[in-house]
Amino acid sequence: MFRHFSTVAGRIRTASVSRAVSTFAARSTASTMSSKIASGSLMVAAVIQAFALNSETMLTSCESLPVYGKPGTNQERTFLAIKPDGVQRGLIGDIITRFEKRGYKLVGLKMVWPTEEMAKSHYADLKKKPFFPGLVKFFSSGPIVCMCWEGKDIIKQGRQMLGETQPLASKPGSIRGDFSIDLGRNICHGSDSPEAAEHELKMWFPEGANDWTKTVDSSVYE
Ligand SMILES: Nc1ncnc2c1ncn2[C@@H]1O[C@H](COP(=O)(O)OP(=O)(O)O)[C@@H](O)[C@H]1O
Ligand SMILES: [Mg+2]
């Protein structure tokens, strides 16, 4: 987490330095200063720019994995969320436990109270459905728990562990089958495809995830 905060701060710093350098260089060039002073300024600017680029390179090399991981590998990632009803009902721990016990790796976790705009953007593919306004209102009615989970086939397995969209059609043993009854109170969300996972993880985790090594992975994967 801290690495990502400092990465974001680093980016902002780098961007500001780059902007400052361009402004400084442009101003220097346009000014009526002697050419000696101007070229001196440009040299300083070039050194700062090189430093900024070097910082960028270092940041890039730290972030080998995009937030959406590598679909089709053991580093596939998905976006799972515990919706306001799941949070209200005290199911955060139970839901996280299921994925942990299965062997999956939690690489991103935070509580967010979505705005209506965030809810609309998250469910943009459903905007023509008659239930869309109610869905947006409910999704933004309280905090949700945003998670990024990693592991083999996690996108499909995550959906299976959630159960069917309709809780009454969900098998016992699934989250929705165990904890919910009504369609509009089905507790959890999960990306339904690699494309959706990429879109949703970029949206909910713009700061990135945590590329940590799980030491027991040799007991999970053969
Ligand atoms: N016909 C409906 N009436 C009311 N709410 C619905 C309906 N269909 C879906 N929803 C709600 O909208 C959410 C998003 O729908 P959808 O993406 O189709 O399902 P899922 O959450 O399984 O991916 C559902 O989880 C459910 O809470
Ligand atoms: Mg969906």
Side-chain angles (χ1 to χ4, degrees):
M1 273 301 190
F2 288 120
R3 185 169 71 72
H4 285 294
F5 282 137
S6 55
T7 303
V8 171
R11 277 209 187 111
I12 292 165
R13 264 202 312 277
T14 305
S16 316
V17 169
S18 300
R19 257 197 313 280
V21 165
S22 316
T23 313
F24 183 48
R27 275 191 195 141
S28 302
T29 319
S31 78
T32 53
M33 285 189 298
S34 73
S35 60
K36 200 172 166 191
I37 295 172
S39 62
S41 304
L42 283 171
M43 251 175 71
V44 173
V47 169
I48 299 172
Q49 180 86 62
F51 173 75
L53 285 174
N54 191 36
S55 314
E56 198 64 59
T57 312
M58 282 158 58
L59 289 169
T60 308
S61 64
C62 291
E63 286 181 1
S64 48
L65 208 55
V67 66
Y68 51 92
K70 289 187 199 151
T73 73
N74 290 2
Q75 291 178 308
E76 180 169 304
R77 288 179 178 174
T78 195
F79 174 68
L80 299 181
I82 304 169
K83 301 200 274 194
D85 45 345
V87 173
Q88 283 289 342
R89 297 205 22 218
L91 296 172
I92 300 169
D94 191 296
I95 292 170
I96 291 178
T97 297
R98 288 171 182 235
F99 286 89
E100 276 193 311
K101 283 191 176 166
R102 179 94 190 261
Y104 284 121
K105 183 163 75 172
L106 185 61
V107 296
L109 174 70
K110 64 185 174 186
M111 184 177 261
V112 176
W113 191 324
T115 60
E116 287 207 8
E117 285 315 305
M118 289 159 96
K120 280 181 189 159
S121 170
H122 174 72
Y123 283 121
D125 58 320
L126 301 173
K127 66 173 178 259
K128 296 212 170 84
K129 301 280 184 188
F131 59 84
F132 184 70
L135 177 61
V136 165
K137 196 160 177 240
F138 180 67
F139 196 70
S140 55
S141 68
I144 64 167
V145 174
C146 300
M147 297 172 285
C148 179
W149 284 93
E150 180 185 293
K152 186 190 277 182
D153 204 31
I154 182 63
I155 299 173
K156 185 169 142 222
Q157 298 302 317
R159 290 288 297 192
Q160 285 183 356
M161 288 168 74
L162 258 54
E164 302 298 321
T165 302
Q166 170 58 266
L168 297 181
S170 298
K171 291 202 173 77
S174 66
I175 295 165
R176 287 165 170 169
D178 284 349
F179 300 127
S180 61
I181 298 171
D182 264 355
L183 189 51
R185 298 290 183 272
N186 61 5
I187 304 290
C188 43
H189 165 85
S191 310
D192 61 9
S193 65
E195 295 73 31
E198 178 174 342
H199 172 74
E200 292 168 4
L201 287 169
K202 282 178 176 169
M203 174 182 165
W204 292 101
F205 287 96
E207 71 277 26
N210 299 275
D211 305 336
W212 61 289
T213 301
K214 202 169 172 194
T215 53
V216 298
D217 265 356
S218 58
S219 302
V220 174
Y221 297 107
E222 55 186 355

